[in-house]
Amino acid sequence: MSNTLEIQQQQRKVDNKNLISKLEEREKVLMAERVQTMDPRKRLNQIKIKMAHLEWYHKICKTKGIGYYDCYKNQLGSSDRDVTRLKKFLTNYWKNFVEGVERKPQKEGAFIRGTWLYSGRNYRRMVEPLDIAEYYRDSDKRDYQTHGRSRHYILLEQWQEDDDAEKLKSSPNNKKKQNVAGILTEDSCFWAKVEDALISCKLLKSGTSSAVEKQSAKENLDMFEQYAMNQINNYAVSPEIFLKESSFMKWWKTFQEIIETSHDSPLCDFMKNGRYLQYEKGSTFLQ
């Protein structure tokens, strides 16, 4: 009799927990719907408030010496898990926004005001790394950009690039160099490239990899080296990639173990000479 009672009590607890989860999910949906029906300016302000919470999380992670991306990927604390709910809210909003733009007539939908483009860019740079972290948390996954990237990120990036193409491109300006310490990594898929580079390192180290796999891995690493150095030269990555416990530094440590001593490249020179330690000082180190 007592066993039956205990089972019933446990079942009620499970049912209550499931009900609470469903209510929380429903509340998030209703909140997102309310945001969508707001006046556009109020709606954007609501999103900015949510983004401010993410920026706070970003700063907290940096003080831990591991960085925003890796903090979220490792899910070490309650604040990391809280960010998951925030991410879902923002993603629902921007997915709906992108779908709304696509539904408009081509001429009308092709133009997005600068304010929305700017907010969409910041959202993509802040939130997509979190999606990438979730994707690679499963160790069997690779090539996020082909197999895991949401269409709304692709379109937000495309619209931003179309807008940028209309503006005069130039080398990094002094203002950008002077503010390196506070920038967000511009390529929202940067961490996916780091993860794939780590996978390539593992393939090269593995005794079970085929000759074809090893050759492909070597080519991928060559491309990643060039890509990473280009991002650094353009001050397009956050200094947090050089934090001791970051996935980028993990890649660099692994990469050093597998490359030949004669291997030479601008990135190797930059890292081995410790110039990355001065990166956030901007214009004082690349000259």
Side-chain angles (χ1 to χ4, degrees):
M1 182 71 177
S2 60
N3 287 339
T4 302
L5 184 60
E6 286 179 10
I7 292 172
Q8 289 175 341
Q9 289 175 338
Q10 289 174 356
Q11 185 60 48
R12 277 197 294 271
K13 287 181 181 178
V14 171
D15 291 341
N16 287 337
K17 189 177 290 186
N18 289 338
L19 178 60
I20 290 170
S21 296
K22 288 179 181 178
L23 289 172
E24 287 178 345
E25 287 298 321
R26 179 59 182 160
E27 178 61 26
K28 280 186 282 189
V29 171
L30 290 173
M31 190 179 295
E33 288 175 351
R34 284 197 295 271
V35 171
Q36 289 293 335
T37 56
M38 284 181 186
D39 173 85
R41 283 172 296 184
K42 289 183 179 179
R43 192 165 60 199
L44 190 56
N45 285 337
Q46 182 81 8
I47 295 305
K48 286 179 179 178
I49 291 170
K50 299 291 185 184
M51 287 294 292
H53 290 309
L54 268 189
E55 288 167 9
W56 172 84
Y57 174 71
H58 186 275
K59 290 177 181 177
I60 293 296
C61 291
K62 190 174 181 180
T63 64
K64 297 178 181 179
I66 186 171
Y68 178 66
Y69 172 79
D70 289 283
C71 246
Y72 185 76
K73 183 182 177 184
N74 295 333
Q75 293 281 290
L76 299 176
S78 59
S79 61
D80 304 314
R81 293 185 287 275
D82 290 341
V83 167
T84 301
R85 291 193 290 271
L86 187 58
K87 180 178 78 71
K88 285 181 179 178
F89 178 91
L90 289 165
T91 297
N92 285 337
Y93 168 79
W94 280 104
K95 279 185 175 180
N96 288 334
F97 175 84
V98 169
E99 288 171 4
V101 172
E102 285 194 289
R103 283 195 298 268
K104 292 179 181 179
Q106 186 174 359
K107 187 175 181 181
E108 183 183 351
F111 175 76
I112 305 175
R113 287 185 303 173
T115 302
W116 293 96
L117 270 179
Y118 177 80
S119 296
R121 183 193 66 187
N122 283 350
Y123 155 75
R124 182 169 52 81
R125 290 177 180 176
M126 286 287 284
V127 176
E128 188 165 15
L130 305 182
D131 275 342
I132 292 168
E134 289 182 353
Y135 182 84
Y136 285 98
R137 208 177 281 153
D138 181 345
S139 59
D140 293 331
K141 290 184 176 178
R142 63 179 69 180
D143 198 1
Y144 162 84
Q145 288 180 264
T146 301
H147 303 296
R149 197 179 193 201
S150 172
R151 174 176 166 76
H152 81 291
Y153 288 131
I154 296 170
L155 289 174
L156 284 171
E157 183 174 20
Q158 181 183 313
W159 294 336
Q160 183 67 56
E161 288 175 350
D162 290 344
D163 185 67
D164 289 343
E166 296 176 5
K167 299 172 183 175
L168 183 64
K169 291 292 184 73
S170 61
S171 58
N173 57 43
N174 288 330
K175 184 177 179 181
K176 188 175 180 181
K177 294 177 184 179
Q178 291 164 5
N179 292 301
V180 173
I183 65 171
L184 289 173
T185 297
E186 292 182 6
D187 181 1
S188 58
C189 288
F190 173 82
W191 291 108
K193 294 179 174 74
V194 172
E195 294 284 3
D196 287 336
L198 273 166
I199 291 170
S200 292
C201 285
K202 290 176 183 176
L203 286 171
L204 278 179
K205 288 179 72 175
S206 173
T208 60
S209 298
S210 68
V212 173
E213 286 177 322
K214 289 192 174 186
Q215 180 59 32
S216 176
K218 187 178 183 305
E219 290 172 0
N220 288 338
L221 286 169
D222 287 342
M223 286 189 291
F224 178 71
E225 272 196 278
Q226 294 173 31
Y227 160 79
M229 195 67 235
N230 182 60
Q231 297 298 298
I232 291 166
N233 282 335
N234 286 311
Y235 301 93
V237 287
S238 167
E240 71 177 351
I241 75 167
F242 300 119
L243 290 173
K244 187 177 179 181
E245 301 299 324
S246 80
S247 287
F248 180 82
M249 294 305 286
K250 180 182 177 182
W251 166 79
W252 169 242
K253 182 180 178 181
T254 307
F255 185 62
Q256 287 186 94
E257 294 171 356
I258 62 173
I259 58 175
E260 298 176 0
T261 53
S262 60
H263 180 81
D264 187 32
S265 71
L267 183 63
C268 280
D269 178 65
F270 176 78
M271 296 299 293
K272 286 180 179 179
N273 291 334
R275 288 160 61 203
Y276 69 91
L277 296 170
Q278 303 298 316
Y279 175 74
E280 66 180 340
K281 294 183 180 179
S283 58
T284 62
F285 90 106
L286 282 177
Q287 306 304 322

